Amino acid sequence: MATRRLVLYGRSSSLNTQRVLWCLHETGVPFDLRLTSATLGESGRLGGTVFGGTEDPGFVRCSPFGQIPALSDSATGAQLWESASIIRYLAAVYKPSLLGPAVPAYRPKEAGYRLAQAARASAWMDYHLSTFAAGANIYGHDDFMGNLMTHLVRMPAGGAPVTVAAHGAQRQMQFCDETVARAADAAAAQFGRLDAHLRSAGTPYLAGDELTVADIPLGVEAFRWSLLRRRLPAGAAEAPAAPAAAAAPAAAA
């Protein structure tokens, strides 16, 4: 079978990979997913067999520090890593409407308006990286979504300690009720802010009336939160459900 022009390296259980998967499905462009991970495999639990693939020359060319997701596009020669950059690229090349409303060619004076709308959508992606997500502090004190996923889903059965590698560092982790409670409170507060914004703005999506790149990173987070809340102890993190505008498609789950 011929290789498709778009190749995505990652794993579907990764939040970062899920963002790109959602965007790819929005574009409708065929792609190959090559399961790649140095930390997790089919079981989805830490300490088990991993997918590997991080030594694949194609992946190494795309991702100099071995991080997923990574994307190769043989049609343009693009070799990218970092989910936000990949999403912006896919939107610009394959579905510009994800960047904001289009302006007809015969109305060039409105180009500034479109650029402003695109910048507003992009700002939500930057907010996700700078304020909402943990970034390089993965599994740290402030990584509430990472800690919830790790402690509620990925820890080895029986609660045995496990060594986790991330961003070139290793740390030993073990299930902790206090960590779960703290992370749940932080998640409830963050999603409460998004909920309040949507109510105040009166729009179905973060940047307006249409789905844009603004909704994809935070939408994937919201979808995961809607699942993790079901695993919390009774009475924990009493907060609104994930914002309705941020419901990721099942294909990105």
Side-chain angles (χ1 to χ4, degrees), residues 137-153:
N137 295 317
I138 185 170
Y139 304 128
H141 182 81
D142 296 324
D143 183 11
F144 55 91
M145 291 301 287
N147 281 323
L148 284 173
M149 189 67 184
T150 299
H151 287 262
L152 295 176
V153 178

Side-chain angles (χ1 to χ4, degrees), residues 5-149:
R5 64 184 183 185
L6 284 174
V7 177
L8 175 63
Y9 300 89
R11 53 179 168 79
S12 57
S13 61
S14 155
L15 273 177
N16 293 330
T17 305
Q18 287 175 10
R19 295 168 197 141
V20 178
L21 284 170
W22 184 353
C23 188
L24 282 165
H25 283 287
E26 292 293 334
T27 68
V29 179
F31 64 94
D32 285 330
L33 173 62
R34 296 189 184 174
L35 294 173
T36 307
S37 177
T39 58
L40 291 171
E42 196 67 40
S43 73
R45 290 190 179 274
L46 295 166
T49 302
V50 301
F51 286 124
T54 54
E55 304 301 322
D56 183 303
F59 174 68
V60 173
R61 284 193 295 270
C62 294
S63 185
F65 301 115
Q67 297 170 217
I68 59 171
L71 182 87
S72 173
D73 186 348
S74 62
T76 64
Q79 295 177 334
L80 306 171
W81 86 106
E82 289 292 347
S83 61
S85 293
I86 295 173
I87 289 169
R88 289 185 177 105
Y89 167 79
L90 290 172
V93 175
Y94 295 107
K95 194 169 183 179
S97 63
L98 287 174
L99 296 173
V103 174
Y106 58 84
R107 297 164 71 180
K109 291 184 178 180
E110 292 189 18
Y113 169 78
R114 188 189 189 288
L115 289 173
Q117 293 298 102
R120 184 171 179 81
S122 185
W124 280 106
M125 299 184 74
D126 292 334
Y127 165 79
H128 172 259
L129 290 173
S130 66
T131 305
F132 192 97
N137 295 317
I138 185 170
Y139 304 128
H141 182 81
D142 296 324
D143 183 11
F144 55 91
M145 291 301 287
N147 281 323
L148 284 173
M149 189 67 184

Side-chain angles (χ1 to χ4, degrees), residues 141-235:
H141 182 81
D142 296 324
D143 183 11
F144 55 91
M145 291 301 287
N147 281 323
L148 284 173
M149 189 67 184
T150 299
H151 287 262
L152 295 176
V153 178
R154 291 180 175 159
M155 283 290 187
V162 63
T163 300
V164 180
H167 295 289
Q170 291 188 333
R171 67 175 69 218
Q172 192 171 57
M173 302 182 68
Q174 190 168 13
F175 181 82
C176 176
D177 287 317
E178 182 180 345
T179 297
V180 171
R182 183 173 59 242
D185 287 342
Q190 287 289 347
F191 287 111
R193 292 180 68 187
L194 292 177
D195 222 33
H197 165 75
L198 289 171
R199 288 196 302 269
S200 175
T203 58
Y205 299 97
L206 290 172
D209 294 324
E210 302 292 335
L211 177 77
T212 66
V213 294
D215 303 289
I216 292 176
L218 288 162
V220 171
E221 300 271 10
F223 181 73
R224 176 164 287 188
W225 173 235
S226 72
L227 300 178
L228 290 174
R229 291 176 82 242
R230 304 172 191 175
R231 293 174 175 261
L232 293 173

